[in-house]
């Protein structure tokens, strides 16, 4: 888990995204427990209320759930939900941003497609 | 459940008014940052809260009971002061045992455990401690006091980066296990900005604001870019302050940030970022 404290994004959102990343990577598997809010806030040295806000966001989205007296767990369909959500965000976060930066740099649509092709063939 | 009510508090030292009719209620179990410039009245306020000095006017109540010479109210507070008050020749382990006689809720085993974590030599005499280790000893005593309210006055004095890191973690750990009112008075604003849930800023003995860190930081934004463009943009805005580096200018503006698609912002290539607590503090407390 990593947070960027200089980022424009509020820390609780960054925390929620990092937890999602870790679920996608399989660091936190479905139906397993994630660290407690106190552990998370100690690790990042952030206020427990901030950590709680990030975790609760994922509870509201059905990615985490609370087992009373035990702690927070990853929902069984969490990965699928995150994939869906991220795909929707992909267009806004990457495609729109890419095109606006390309316009500033006067990069044409064909040049962008070439670049993507080149990068893809590497892998 | 602990609450602190401060009403119309004034403290004069001769003609000098250290606190000027300050009223403030602290009712929620949160980590608070008490911020103010040198001489703003932070330590005076903490000293008054713990009956170390007496107010000229006004009153402080803990759970509706005055703290003025009231052992029952004072017992609920543990105050980590800047100045140490221990006998010079006393060994650290004896200071811990001695303190737990004064504070019956103190858990000496917790203090010994923390001493080991912080590498504090229990057989050293108090006078042999460096500035950093003097702070560490006081931090350890405060964190193991089990008091309902913890006050820290410049707890980070002389601590190296590793020890500061440990302090923050232990503080959060303690708060996580037993949520309570914790007041942190410090000048290291940048370091504590993400830890404190609520900010209390005082200036010239008066309360400037008390707000959650989140609300405070979202009450405005920073806009930066070429100086003349920034100037044009902020013309009709409420500006708290500016910084200029060469032809580049930062302005700290109150209000909702304009959207990125805003024509002016887009054309002038201005950058919008969030406010940062330290910069905001400097702007709110200078002059």
């Amino acid at each position: 888990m990593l947070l960027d404290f200089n980022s424009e994004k509020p820390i609780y959102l960054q925390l929620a995204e990092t937890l999602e990343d870790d679920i996608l990577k399989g660091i936190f598997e479905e139906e397993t427990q994630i660290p407690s809010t106190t552990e998370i806030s100690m690790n990042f040295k952030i206020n427990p209320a901030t950590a709680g806000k990030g975790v609760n966001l994922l509870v509201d989205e059905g990615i985490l759930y609370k087992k009373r007296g035990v702690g927070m767990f990853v929902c069984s369909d969490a990965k699928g939900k995150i994939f869906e959500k991220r795909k929707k965000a992909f267009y806004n976060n990457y495609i729109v941003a890419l095109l606006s930066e390309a316009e500033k740099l006067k990069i044409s649509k064909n040049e962008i497609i070439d670049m993507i092709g080149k990068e893809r063939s590497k892998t | 459940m602990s609450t602190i009510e401060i009403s119309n508090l004034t403290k004069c030292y001769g003609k000098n008014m250290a606190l000027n009719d300050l009223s403030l209620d602290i009712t929620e179990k949160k980590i608070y940052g008490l911020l103010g410039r040198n001489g703003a009245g932070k330590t005076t306020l903490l000293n008054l809260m713990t009956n170390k000095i007496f107010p000229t006017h006004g009153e402080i109540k803990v759970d509706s009971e005055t703290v003025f010479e009231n052992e029952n109210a004072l017992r609920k507070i543990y105050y980590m002061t800047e100045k140490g008050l221990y006998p010079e020749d006393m060994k650290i382990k004896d200071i811990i045992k001695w303190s737990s006689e004064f504070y019956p809720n103190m858990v000496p085993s917790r203090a010994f455990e923390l001493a080991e974590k912080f590498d504090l030599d229990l057989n050293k005499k108090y006078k042999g401690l460096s500035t950093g280790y003097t702070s560490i000893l006081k931090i350890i005593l405060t964190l193991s006091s089990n008091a309902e309210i913890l006050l820290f006055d410049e707890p980070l004095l002389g601590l190296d980066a590793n020890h500061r890191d440990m302090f923050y973690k232990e503080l959060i750990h303690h708060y996580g296990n037993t949520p309570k009112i914790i007041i942190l008075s410090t000048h290291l604003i940048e370091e504590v900005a993400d830890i404190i849930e609520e900010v209390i800023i005082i200036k010239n003995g008066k309360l400037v604001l008390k707000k959650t860190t989140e609300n405070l930081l979202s009450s405005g934004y920073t806009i930066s870019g070429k100086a003349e463009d920034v100037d044009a943009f902020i013309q009709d805005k409420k500006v708290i302050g500016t910084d200029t580096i060469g032809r580049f200018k930062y302005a700290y503006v109150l209000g909702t940030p304009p959207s990125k698609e805003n024509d002016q912002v887009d054309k002038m290539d201005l950058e919008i970022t969030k406010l940062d607590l330290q910069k905001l503090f400097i702007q709110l407390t200078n002059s």
Side-chain angles (χ1 to χ4, degrees):
Chain A
M1 293 198 271
L2 274 174
L3 296 183
D4 173 11
F5 288 94
N6 293 319
S7 157
E8 217 182 301
K9 259 190 205 158
I11 291 181
Y12 76 93
L13 274 183
Q14 289 188 50
L15 174 66
E17 279 173 16
T18 323
L19 287 169
E20 285 179 356
D21 283 340
D22 290 349
I23 293 170
L24 287 181
K25 284 185 210 152
I27 295 172
F28 303 128
E29 287 183 36
E30 292 173 351
E31 292 303 331
T32 63
Q33 192 172 2
I34 65 155
S36 73
T37 313
T38 306
E39 282 173 294
I40 293 172
S41 42
M42 273 173 75
N43 183 45
F44 293 121
K45 288 176 279 162
I46 56 173
N47 189 278
T50 312
K53 204 170 165 187
V55 169
N56 283 332
L57 193 70
L58 297 184
V59 172
D60 291 344
E61 290 177 359
I63 290 163
L64 299 176
Y65 69 97
K66 190 175 188 170
K67 266 193 199 171
R68 231 160 241 301
V70 189
M72 287 293 173
F73 284 74
V74 181
C75 293
S76 58
D77 54 348
K79 267 194 180 179
K81 278 189 182 149
I82 300 168
F83 268 125
E84 276 311 303
K85 192 173 94 171
R86 292 279 175 104
K87 262 192 194 165
K88 272 186 205 153
F90 182 78
Y91 177 79
N92 283 323
N93 292 349
Y94 294 94
I95 303 299
V96 175
L98 176 90
L99 290 176
S100 109
E101 179 70 8
E103 203 182 303
K104 257 191 233 163
L105 301 175
K106 302 197 176 22
I107 299 171
S108 74
K109 191 178 137 195
N110 284 335
E111 277 177 281
I112 298 173
I113 294 171
D114 280 351
M115 285 182 197
I116 295 172
K118 235 189 257 167
E119 191 59 30
R120 268 275 154 116
S121 63
K122 273 191 205 162
T123 51
Chain B
M1 190 55 202
S2 299
T3 57
I4 306 170
E5 295 160 78
I6 299 166
S7 30
N8 308 102
L9 197 65
T10 298
K11 175 69 186 176
C12 300
Y13 293 104
K15 276 185 184 163
N16 178 21
M17 223 182 217
L19 285 181
N20 184 355
D21 199 33
L22 183 132
S23 296
L24 177 68
D25 284 350
I26 300 172
T27 53
E28 282 169 279
K29 293 177 176 174
K30 288 182 182 173
I31 302 176
Y32 296 84
L34 175 62
L35 311 177
R37 300 190 60 185
N38 290 324
K42 303 184 297 292
T43 302
T44 304
L45 178 61
L46 296 176
N47 281 337
L48 285 164
M49 282 167 76
T50 46
N51 194 44
K52 300 242 182 294
I53 52 174
F54 310 118
T56 312
H57 296 291
E59 195 171 33
I60 302 177
K61 286 179 177 172
V62 170
D63 294 337
S64 316
E65 276 187 68
T66 177
V67 297
F68 180 68
E69 297 193 340
N70 179 357
E71 217 22 71
N72 195 36
L74 290 169
R75 242 202 332 252
K76 296 177 180 169
I77 308 174
Y78 195 99
Y79 178 27
M80 177 194 165
T81 50
E82 252 179 296
K83 292 186 192 90
L85 302 156
Y86 307 104
E88 287 210 323
D89 281 320
M90 203 179 240
K91 283 184 180 169
I92 305 309
K93 59 180 175 195
D94 295 323
I95 291 181
I96 293 176
K97 286 177 199 155
W98 191 60
S99 299
S100 49
E101 274 171 40
F102 280 96
Y103 296 90
N105 289 332
M106 186 174 272
V107 185
S109 60
R110 178 78 190 126
F112 288 124
E113 201 182 299
L114 284 170
E116 202 178 324
K117 270 195 187 170
F118 278 92
D119 252 335
L120 173 65
D121 183 354
L122 293 169
N123 288 313
K124 251 197 178 158
K125 282 181 181 166
Y126 181 66
K127 67 176 174 193
L129 294 182
S130 63
T131 313
Y133 271 107
T134 307
S135 296
I136 287 172
L137 170 65
K138 289 188 288 185
I139 284 170
I140 288 172
L141 291 171
T142 314
L143 287 177
S144 44
S145 71
N146 250 340
E148 288 172 40
I149 297 165
L150 304 184
L151 311 178
F152 289 93
D153 192 8
E154 284 298 342
L156 301 151
L157 216 64
L159 294 198
D160 65 26
N162 306 44
H163 280 147
R164 290 206 299 278
D165 195 81
M166 282 174 73
F167 166 69
Y168 297 132
K169 287 184 176 170
E170 289 302 332
L171 183 76
I172 294 168
H173 179 73
H174 182 75
Y175 174 81
N177 287 340
T178 47
K180 58 179 66 175
I181 294 174
I182 295 177
I183 300 177
L184 211 56
S185 167
T186 179
H187 290 298
L188 297 175
I189 299 172
E190 232 171 331
E191 284 196 11
V192 300
D194 297 309
I195 294 173
I196 54 185
E197 192 175 347
E198 197 156 326
V199 185
I200 300 166
I201 298 181
I202 59 174
K203 179 182 169 183
N204 300 333
K206 288 193 165 200
L207 182 70
V208 175
L209 61 85
K210 174 176 176 282
K211 262 192 181 173
T212 64
T213 315
E214 201 183 318
N215 282 344
L216 180 62
L217 295 183
S218 59
S219 63
Y221 56 94
T222 308
I223 189 138
S224 55
K226 260 200 294 187
E228 54 265 40
D229 295 341
V230 170
D231 284 335
F233 179 85
I234 59 176
Q235 251 178 13
D236 54 347
K237 308 279 188 302
K238 208 170 169 203
V239 180
I240 8 176
T242 56
D243 277 322
T244 312
I245 307 168
R247 290 190 58 210
F248 202 79
K249 188 166 185 170
Y250 296 88
Y252 313 107
V253 185
L254 289 180
T256 339
S259 74
K260 297 242 155 86
E261 288 84 46
N262 178 300
D263 275 354
Q264 217 178 351
V265 175
D266 196 37
K267 244 181 258 155
M268 292 177 174
D269 227 344
L270 296 172
E271 183 108 32
I272 302 161
T273 48
K274 62 181 179 187
L275 286 175
D276 107 31
L277 187 59
Q278 174 142 302
K279 288 216 176 86
L280 192 61
F281 170 81
I282 292 171
Q283 299 297 342
L284 289 170
T285 55
N286 63 14
S287 82

